[in-house]
Amino acid sequence: MPRPFVAYLRVYEPLSSFEEPLAGLLRGAVEAGGLDRADVTAREREVWLKSQLYAPPSTLPGELPDGRPAPSSLRDILVIDAAEVPTDQAEVGPGPLVCPLDLRARSAAAMVGFLAASSPTLRAEVLLSQTPENVRQKATSVLADLPSGAVHVVSTTWTVPLPWFSLVDPAHRHVVTATRDDPHRQVYWRVAMGDARRRVERARTLAMQTFGEVGPTKVLADTARWLANFDDRSAVELDYGGLVQLLDDKELVEDTSAEDVHAILDAIEASDPTQVGTRFERLRSFWGDLANREQAN
């Protein structure tokens, strides 16, 4: 079974930034080694499938049937060392840096989004005997329990939002080629939180000049607000996740998406519309192929 075609933006915070009793649980998880990043998507799918077997049907992934967070899910974390994070003007650490998967809270946030965007007919089919008000109240309560006020992971299916590339340094891409069904096949970038915030603010300012407050500007503004929730010495990771299964080795190695996005920002700053158009066309060609596969599925 292929991994879900999901890409991720993750925040790894210093372990010292968490308060008790959560800090104690996280220390135990760090001592146990945390999750292997190659196993993350499989773990997320496993937790979700388990939640579908529980009663009542309102049980969220990473939650016990009585509504309490499952202790095992609180220990689902990724762990990296501060030395693994390239830095420019900012600092990271002290290590270890941890990224809780926050599956229960992410599911609650997704439910809030579903309630806001879905039709009444679809909501009734999905919620069954539950009322939207009760579901929204529960989801809001779960989100309120987050230590930093925000989930440590945001994700997107079938593609990577182009504004995300503005956070990273194109030169610091990490590529691991392997067979497409090998979970160690990876593409990701890591960046210091301070550097990510500085870059996203520059990108937002430049995008405003070209697009106004909509489209890429809105994505950048939302991303900046999300990053503001975390410790200043955290790290941010942009991970292609399961999307690497859709790209062959040549496409992975020759992918210039991060370079193209940064070149677009430089071109906007230099008032060079020709360069903006050329780079956008390259991005549209690369990511358009994945969009077509989503439609085919």
Side-chain angles (χ1 to χ4, degrees):
M1 180 182 296
R3 288 177 285 162
F5 301 125
V6 178
Y8 302 92
L9 198 60
R10 302 186 180 100
V11 170
Y12 293 77
E13 291 194 276
L15 186 58
S16 57
S17 67
F18 294 90
E19 297 182 355
E20 300 293 348
L22 178 59
L25 287 172
L26 295 179
R27 280 194 298 271
V30 169
E31 291 169 1
L35 290 169
D36 186 321
R37 62 181 296 111
D39 298 331
V40 167
T41 52
R43 175 58 178 165
E44 292 184 348
R45 180 163 50 197
E46 174 191 354
V47 173
W48 180 84
L49 289 173
K50 283 184 177 179
S51 73
Q52 303 309 296
L53 302 176
Y54 286 143
S58 60
T59 303
L60 293 169
E63 186 175 78
L64 299 174
D66 62 7
R68 292 179 296 124
S72 60
S73 70
L74 294 174
R75 292 190 290 269
D76 283 342
I77 63 171
L78 288 167
V79 185
I80 61 174
D81 190 276
E84 299 176 53
V85 183
T87 59
D88 185 359
Q89 300 178 20
E91 296 183 358
V92 174
L97 305 175
V98 298
C99 175
L101 295 192
D102 291 337
L103 283 174
R104 179 171 177 256
R106 286 163 60 194
S107 299
M111 182 58 72
V112 171
F114 170 78
L115 292 176
S118 59
S119 67
T121 301
L122 181 58
R123 284 199 299 271
E125 184 68 24
V126 171
L127 299 183
L128 300 176
S129 61
Q130 306 171 83
T131 66
E133 291 73 21
N134 287 342
V135 172
R136 186 178 293 106
Q137 183 178 16
K138 174 180 178 177
T140 301
S141 175
V142 170
L143 293 170
D145 288 339
L146 288 168
S148 59
V151 294
H152 287 76
V153 183
V154 293
S155 60
T156 181
T157 56
W158 292 95
T159 190
V160 175
L162 297 181
W164 285 5
F165 289 107
S166 67
L167 279 64
V168 304
D169 182 338
H172 292 151
R173 182 176 60 149
H174 185 89
V175 181
V176 177
T177 56
T179 59
R180 293 202 192 195
D181 59 352
D182 188 333
H184 293 91
R185 182 181 179 87
Q186 299 168 5
V187 173
Y188 64 85
W189 291 258
R190 288 174 182 157
V191 56
M193 174 63 76
D195 294 332
R197 288 174 178 164
R198 172 175 51 82
R199 290 174 183 147
V200 78
E201 184 57 31
R202 172 183 180 250
R204 188 196 64 78
T205 300
L206 293 171
M208 178 73 76
Q209 299 174 15
T210 304
F211 306 105
E213 296 183 356
V214 298
T217 310
K218 185 180 185 305
V219 175
L220 290 163
D222 291 344
T223 303
R225 282 192 293 270
W226 175 63
L227 294 177
N229 289 286
F230 303 103
D231 191 287
D232 293 344
R233 297 169 70 91
S234 301
V236 183
E237 179 180 76
L238 170 55
D239 181 6
Y240 276 18
L243 300 188
V244 296
Q245 301 165 107
L246 302 173
L247 302 166
D248 61 33
D249 287 355
K250 186 174 185 292
E251 290 172 317
L252 287 185
V253 172
E254 297 182 359
D255 171 27
T256 59
S257 296
E259 289 89 344
D260 292 334
V261 168
H262 282 261
I264 287 170
L265 295 172
D266 292 341
I268 292 174
E269 198 167 45
S271 300
D272 184 353
T274 300
Q275 178 73 343
V276 172
T278 299
R279 294 287 185 158
F280 262 128
E281 186 56 38
R282 183 183 298 179
L283 289 164
R284 184 181 300 113
S285 175
F286 184 84
W287 292 102
D289 288 343
L290 295 188
N292 292 335
R293 298 188 197 189
E294 178 183 14
Q295 294 176 0
N297 282 270

